Amino acid sequence: MIDPKLFRTDLDAVIANLARRGMTFNQQEYLELEESRKSLQMKTQELQNTRNSRSKSIGKAKASGEDIQPLLDEVATLGQELDDAKNAFEAVQIKLDDLFSGLPNLLDDAVPEGKSEDDNIEVRKWGEIPTFDFEPKDHTEVGEAIAGLDFAASAKLSGSRFAVMRAGVAKMHRALIQLMLDTHTEQHGYQETYVPYLVSPHCLYGTSQLPKFADDLFTVQGTTQDDKPLYMIPTAEVPLTNLVREQIIDEKDLPIKLTGHTPCFRSEAGSYGKDVKGLIRQHQFEKVELVQIVKPQDSMQALDELTGHAEKILQLLELPYRTVILCGGDIGFGATKTFDIEVWLPAQNTYREISSCSNMGDFQARRMQSRFRNNETGKPELLHTLNGSGLAVGRTLVAILENYQTAEGKVRVPEVLKPYMKVDEIG
RNA sequence: GGAGAGGUGGCUGAGUGGUCGAAAGCGGCGGUCUUGAAAACCGUUGAGGGGCAACCCUCCCAGGGUUCGAAUCCCUGCCUCUCCGCCA
């Protein structure tokens, strides 16, 4: 959520910033709501003040044995008046909250202007694009040819957008998770963290998947006593970031750097016809996530570092990639600045997203009430949160199947995975 | 699944329907003392919000209710702990 104070102190700047996302802000509606909020709030508080002071005098009068009936008569109508004012105020407050929680984060100055992914700007490129003396096959063909990917089986079990992996491919999939977690914990200073895969709605509100993106989520009925559904996590960002929800962190414990491997579940509503084949877009996929909780002044540098940590995995795997900064029209809802890392896929002859690394600023922290105690002022202040994939495991597997395929139809094992795989090639 | 206990500030923990946003201790901050530190002593110290301001409002797990007035009484929910049973 954007700081509501900004709307009162610098409305023009907020509107101009939202416009960079292609959003038009209904200023008229906001100003009307804000005006009634102000008058209703002041009226309500005034009535509460009256009630409080009258009640106190009743208490005193009673203690000194006076007749309190005249005082009781005096406050007789106050209750109803107060209830009415309170209800009116709450109704306006709810409308304002709805308005605010539907608004995306403000963009950092460094975010380029643009309408779509075509306007994202490449910031660096790494690795050499491999050449083949045969026509490189798509990852589904490679995987099915070596009996490692079985989409007929997954379709039978669960329908489309699921996968069954077998033998060497399944093992490589697991080895990638190991490599990623080992690298981030041993070289990048993250703490390995195991978290629930089902979470309460509060968590999803905190990281801003709710209320706006409910359609993208799966729910599980009957998991709690009051029969309210739990949500299946769409990313480990949700449980990892929510670990600091409603917490005041000691400044000396910052930054907090967490990594975890989880399955991710996404309904992929609205992506009909997109990436229907293969592992690229699944209802269930594995991801190793990176999350950092930092002081506000450290967050932009932390974003650069976190992006580098994700890139490191591709470098270890010797997979060519490029890093782009997302433009205003393509950046996610809660992010103030985002780098996407895109890996080279020979069969598509293009780069495809394999990681998205974002600085959320205080957007999530405000929703979660996640704060740290500033040792200089002694006061709690909002934290900044960051997250990034380090990496999406399925898509990394796709990249290896395509980039490391041989003319014989097998797949070489990247050097760094050999200690985990104990073989030189699969197939 | 059965039985019981309990949720109060950064932490531990008191709290009789009426100056209780809340004792006490710990921790934090400031000071005295000291070459410096520790100890001791003194002072100070919850959060959120509104208002130009004076100042005011809200918050004792959450949501309802009773009352002129609720941390305190009543109902519902959530969570934690202990014991028994079952279980990977």
Side-chain angles (χ1 to χ4, degrees), chain A residues 222-240:
Chain A
T223 46
T224 59
Q225 288 193 346
D226 60 345
D227 233 32
K228 282 182 193 144
L230 288 175
Y231 288 81
M232 297 175 82
I233 56 170
T235 159
E237 169 200 343
V238 177
L240 287 175

Side-chain angles (χ1 to χ4, degrees), chain A residues 16-145:
Chain A
N17 193 301
L18 289 172
R20 293 169 57 199
R21 288 181 180 264
M23 270 205 68
T24 45
F25 180 74
N26 191 337
Q27 184 171 357
Q28 181 70 21
E29 184 195 7
Y30 164 73
L31 288 174
E32 283 169 13
L33 280 173
E34 170 59 16
E35 198 182 310
S36 45
R37 187 229 97 220
K38 190 166 166 178
S39 63
L40 284 169
Q41 181 161 7
M42 287 174 69
K43 184 181 175 193
T44 304
Q45 295 190 351
E46 209 171 296
L47 286 167
Q48 284 172 325
N49 185 16
T50 309
R51 180 205 59 192
N52 291 346
S53 54
R54 294 299 156 83
S55 293
K56 270 182 192 172
S57 24
I58 291 175
K60 277 181 195 164
K62 206 176 175 186
S64 59
E66 294 170 33
D67 179 16
I68 59 170
Q69 194 53 49
L71 289 167
L72 288 180
D73 295 341
E74 202 177 325
V75 293
T77 57
L78 197 61
Q80 189 57 47
E81 210 178 329
L82 179 58
D83 277 351
D84 292 345
K86 218 191 257 181
N87 288 338
F89 171 59
E90 272 167 19
V92 170
Q93 195 62 54
I94 286 169
K95 280 187 189 166
L96 270 174
D97 283 347
D98 286 349
L99 180 71
F100 287 142
S101 62
L103 291 175
N105 201 357
L106 296 176
L107 300 177
D108 185 69
D109 290 343
V111 172
E113 305 300 315
K115 287 180 180 159
S116 73
E117 58 181 323
D118 300 331
D119 301 312
N120 297 338
I121 294 174
E122 181 178 302
V123 293
R124 59 186 160 267
K125 203 180 252 185
W126 187 93
E128 266 182 48
I129 289 173
T131 52
F132 296 89
D133 48 15
F134 58 94
E135 187 65 29
K137 288 183 286 187
D138 168 74
H139 77 276
T140 56
E141 289 177 70
V142 177
E144 286 177 331

Side-chain angles (χ1 to χ4, degrees), chain A residues 276-345:
Chain A
V276 284
K277 238 182 104 188
L279 288 175
I280 296 286
R281 194 175 297 275
Q282 302 262 289
H283 286 312
Q284 169 186 323
F285 63 95
E286 309 298 302
K287 185 155 59 66
V288 170
E289 185 75 357
L290 302 172
V291 161
Q292 290 203 30
I293 314 292
V294 305
K295 288 190 272 181
Q297 66 267 32
D298 298 336
S299 68
M300 278 307 166
Q301 197 191 333
L303 176 63
D304 290 339
E305 286 171 9
L306 186 146
T307 307
H309 297 151
E311 288 178 13
K312 178 71 178 179
I313 302 297
L314 291 170
Q315 293 170 11
L316 289 170
L317 290 165
E318 299 178 80
L319 290 167
Y321 67 86
R322 64 171 193 159
T323 301
V324 301
I325 181 169
L326 297 191
C327 73
D330 197 32
I331 190 170
F333 185 77
T336 183
K337 184 179 178 184
T338 298
F339 292 111
D340 269 12
I341 304 170
E342 302 179 339
V343 70
W344 178 256
L345 295 185

